Amino acid sequence: MYKCEREDEIMALLGSTEYATVEYLVKKINISASSIRRDLKNLEERGLVIRSYGGVKLAEATGKHIPFSLRSHENSVQKKQMAKVALKLLHPGETVFLDGSSSAYFVSELLPALGGVTVITNSIDVMSLLSRYDIKAYCTGGVISGDNRAVLVGGYTQEFLQKLRADAALFSVQGIHADGSFFDCYAEEVAVRNLMMKNAKRKILLCDSSKWGRASTFYQGNIADIDYLVTDRDPAPFFVEPTPKKYVIA
């Protein structure tokens, strides 16, 4: 097993257990304790985990970028359930914007079953996935982000999106505050999402509760301006005014 594969497996296991001992990881992944410790040291240096004596847990959010291969494992159970709920907000034959988030990716896995949907996305992973199905999908084009190698950004991406309209935009962010404002890590992705939201009839934010109160850098918007918040817990106790117009609990 390659190093990157081991790291993905470690993050997936921690996503389901929250905390694990080195011995547990050794048994699950079937490699030496010394290899596990080296992987954990690397993950800790990247701000993804916190090590303690004999064990490790997922790091609290720090606003740092997490690669897509690792983000897709973070709270994946909740995200997949949210994707099922989000699918019910869409209709056959609609045109849908999807951003480059792992939450949107999980929605894309379900779209072929909806029927007649057209997808417009700047996500390389979503395009790769949908290429296996008989589904109409448009890539925005653009340059691969230097910060997030799984998405396309820049002037070409924005110019493409300015000419399009969609029935719904599904997107996620890195953090959301109690006043309803939500933020993300990188300005270029924020600009792309702004156009998706502007040119969509319905704006659907996918945000699991691990992101409530999480800090990030660039302002993306406010829940007062979206149509649906799809999450995994009742958000009402968390928010002060304004509260979401509509929220759906997975």
Side-chain angles (χ1 to χ4, degrees):
M1 184 183 290
Y2 293 108
K3 176 184 175 183
C4 60
E5 294 175 329
R6 295 199 309 267
E7 291 180 351
D8 283 358
E9 184 67 17
I10 289 170
M11 293 298 290
L13 289 169
L14 291 177
S16 60
T17 64
E18 295 186 3
Y19 176 88
T21 63
V22 171
E23 290 75 14
Y24 173 82
L25 295 174
V26 166
K27 291 178 181 178
K28 284 289 186 179
I29 304 177
N30 195 29
I31 60 172
S32 68
S34 59
S35 293
I36 288 290
R37 290 190 179 94
R38 283 195 297 270
D39 291 338
L40 294 179
K41 183 176 185 296
N42 182 55
L43 290 170
E44 184 176 46
E45 289 173 350
R46 292 157 60 191
L48 301 177
V49 303
I50 297 174
R51 291 189 297 168
S52 58
Y53 183 77
V56 62
K57 67 176 182 178
L58 289 175
E60 295 297 326
T62 61
K64 295 181 179 179
H65 168 67
I66 302 175
F68 183 86
S69 62
L70 299 181
R71 284 189 290 124
S72 62
H73 291 307
E74 186 181 19
N75 299 314
S76 60
V77 173
Q78 293 93 326
K79 289 176 181 178
K80 288 181 179 180
Q81 187 61 36
M82 286 163 50
K84 294 178 182 178
V85 170
L87 192 70
K88 297 177 182 178
L89 302 176
L90 305 176
H91 308 288
E94 289 195 317
T95 298
V96 179
F97 288 134
L98 294 179
D99 76 344
S101 65
S102 57
S103 295
Y105 177 84
F106 288 130
V107 174
S108 73
E109 291 183 320
L110 305 177
L111 287 178
L114 188 59
V117 176
T118 298
V119 174
I120 302 166
T121 184
N122 67 322
S123 167
I124 296 171
D125 293 278
V126 168
M127 286 300 296
S128 176
L129 171 72
L130 294 181
S131 69
R132 308 171 201 167
Y133 300 93
D134 184 18
I135 186 170
K136 186 178 290 185
Y138 291 91
C139 178
T140 61
V143 64
I144 295 175
S145 170
D147 299 310
N148 180 0
R149 308 299 292 179
V151 301
L152 300 169
V153 295
Y156 287 110
T157 305
Q158 295 177 46
E159 183 179 354
F160 183 82
L161 288 170
Q162 285 172 351
K163 301 174 183 178
L164 299 173
R165 298 295 183 270
D167 296 290
L170 287 86
F171 65 99
S172 188
V173 292
Q174 285 293 314
I176 186 166
H177 294 183
D179 66 358
S181 56
F182 46 86
F183 296 77
D184 205 76
C185 295
Y186 296 107
E188 287 185 313
E189 289 188 61
V190 166
V192 170
R193 289 194 198 94
N194 280 341
L195 283 170
M196 289 183 174
M197 287 189 285
K198 177 183 176 183
N199 293 343
K201 294 178 183 176
R202 304 192 307 279
K203 292 168 270 293
I204 303 171
L205 172 59
L206 311 168
C207 187
D208 67 85
S209 58
S210 71
K211 297 178 179 180
W212 302 356
R214 180 185 290 185
S216 200
T217 307
F218 298 100
Y219 178 79
Q220 181 76 74
N222 192 284
I223 55 172
D225 302 318
I226 65 171
D227 297 290
Y228 293 95
L229 170 66
V230 180
T231 187
D232 60 323
R233 286 169 45 200
D234 182 357
F238 171 73
F239 290 109
V240 295
E241 295 295 336
T243 55
K245 296 176 185 176
K246 299 178 183 178
Y247 57 85
V248 185
I249 303 170

